[in-house]
Amino acid sequence: MSNMLLVQSASNRFYGLVLALLLVAGHATAQNTTPVTGMNTELAGTPSSDEHSSNPDVLIGSGDLLEIKVLGVPDYVEQVRVSEKGQITLPFIGVLKVAGLSVSQAELQVSKRLADGGFFNDPQVSVSQKEYATQGIAVLGEVQKPGIYPALGHRTLFEAVSAAGGFTQKAGRTAVITHRERPDEPQTVTLSYDAKNSPQSNIPLLPGDTVVISKAGVVYVVGDVGNPTGVVMENSELTVLEAIAMAQGTKPTAALDKAKLIRKAPNGQQEIPLPLKKILSAKAPDVRLQPDDIVFVPGSTAKSVGKRSLEAIVQAATGVAIYRPY
């Protein structure tokens, strides 16, 4: 019996010792992993805390507010404004020119200066653009409400146009974008409104960019037609018959042989006889129109058929509604 008690007592001491070792090991593991968890969270969270810091295309400009940190060094967190000369001043480094650099390039410059000075060994530097000198996107041209609209972070072309109230009826098919970081390289974008090609038109924008929506060519059809209107030219192939069709055709009382084409010339407005009756009967070729052309079809019942003044015709054209064929 005594031998059994000795074996049981030794066994209890052994398991107690193992349990104690496990508790000590668990406590040490918990202490060691806590700082690592915190450091990993900081490293993973820093790039996403500011969407601009991860975009290599964003260039730093004068007036921008930057936040500069050395990861793992809580005391080295600086918020600095870029001066008019494109410079910032940092502890240990002094003056550093950053205007024109991307965020990643600025990080490398700060890291190198800190390492070269012997202040840190292989410092991991994070640079974030907290504010832009220009916080908005200028949307101009053929939009309902031209102006500068706030745009913190990344936005797209269609979002900017939507903020400006959308396109006008005279909006063309192109937009010219001047990017803040490349002012000497304007970008021309062909606008597309169909689901297949619209993503290619909807390019990203950044604060400080300028968007100018082009004006489309418009031709006007007035006089004895179903619906006097202005027709937006989708391309340069628009003809007289197509424009009249969009104006709901001519009325039965129209004097087809007295129609006129009013066209802008270097020396003013020019009246061109338009053989509309022959064009309709395929005895004369259709006439291709130019932007700002006015097709005037008089009524045969008027007292002075075909003698309406040029000024009156132009005035009638300016008051018609604009029609887009889509």
Side-chain angles (χ1 to χ4, degrees), residues 15-324:
Y15 286 119
L17 178 60
V18 171
L19 179 60
L21 289 173
L22 290 173
L23 288 174
V24 171
H27 181 65
T29 302
Q31 287 181 330
N32 291 335
T33 55
T34 300
V36 174
T37 302
M39 183 175 291
N40 287 341
T41 302
E42 184 179 11
L43 289 173
T46 299
S48 60
S49 65
D50 190 333
E51 60 183 305
H52 308 304
S53 64
S54 60
N55 187 341
D57 295 329
V58 178
L59 299 186
I60 299 170
S62 298
D64 290 354
L65 179 65
L66 306 180
E67 182 178 81
I68 300 174
K69 298 189 291 186
V70 177
L71 303 181
V73 185
D75 292 337
Y76 201 102
V77 178
E78 301 291 330
Q79 287 200 0
V80 291
R81 182 82 63 179
V82 182
S83 70
E84 293 183 0
K85 295 182 179 180
Q87 299 173 335
I88 58 174
T89 302
L90 293 173
F92 306 143
I93 293 177
V95 177
L96 177 67
K97 185 172 182 178
V98 295
L101 300 179
S102 66
V103 168
S104 58
Q105 289 173 333
E107 290 173 345
L108 291 174
Q109 288 285 338
V110 175
S111 177
K112 184 177 184 301
R113 292 282 291 271
L114 290 174
D116 290 347
F119 305 109
F120 296 97
N121 182 24
D122 189 23
Q124 302 300 307
V125 176
S126 169
V127 176
S128 301
Q129 287 174 289
K130 308 302 291 185
E131 293 178 8
Y132 287 99
T134 303
Q135 293 288 338
I137 296 174
V139 187
L140 309 172
E142 291 301 320
V143 291
Q144 299 291 346
K145 299 176 181 178
I148 298 176
Y149 292 88
L152 299 178
H154 293 271
R155 293 295 181 266
T156 64
L157 174 58
F158 289 166
E159 287 176 339
V161 171
S162 177
F167 299 107
T168 67
Q169 289 292 328
K170 296 182 180 181
R173 284 288 191 177
T174 60
V176 178
I177 295 94
T178 302
H179 295 285
R180 173 179 181 262
E181 67 272 15
R182 301 187 303 275
D184 298 329
E185 302 175 15
Q187 179 182 8
T188 301
V189 177
T190 300
L191 300 173
S192 178
Y193 307 103
D194 60 85
K196 180 180 179 181
N197 296 318
S198 60
Q200 300 175 6
S201 302
N202 197 23
I203 66 170
L205 301 175
L206 289 171
D209 288 353
T210 299
V211 177
V212 180
I213 304 299
S214 65
K215 180 180 179 180
V218 180
V219 299
Y220 302 91
V221 184
V222 296
D224 209 17
V225 293
N227 181 32
T229 187
V231 180
V232 174
M233 299 182 70
E234 293 301 305
N235 53 62
S236 59
E237 305 296 323
L238 185 67
T239 65
V240 168
L241 290 186
E242 290 172 339
I244 289 177
M246 293 176 187
Q248 299 181 11
T250 60
K251 292 182 178 180
T253 54
L256 302 179
D257 55 342
K258 301 293 184 180
K260 299 177 181 179
L261 177 62
I262 313 299
R263 175 166 290 172
K264 284 186 177 180
N267 55 350
Q269 300 285 353
Q270 179 184 8
E271 290 190 37
I272 303 173
L274 193 61
L276 188 54
K277 189 172 183 178
K278 291 183 178 181
I279 294 175
L280 288 170
S281 60
K283 294 180 180 179
D286 202 355
V287 178
R288 185 177 297 176
L289 296 173
Q290 299 178 7
D292 297 321
D293 278 354
I294 302 173
V295 177
F296 172 61
V297 183
S300 59
T301 57
K303 292 183 178 180
S304 54
V305 174
K307 294 185 179 180
R308 191 170 181 179
S309 69
L310 179 60
E311 292 77 8
I313 296 172
V314 173
Q315 185 64 34
T318 59
V320 300
I322 304 299
Y323 169 79
R324 297 190 75 100

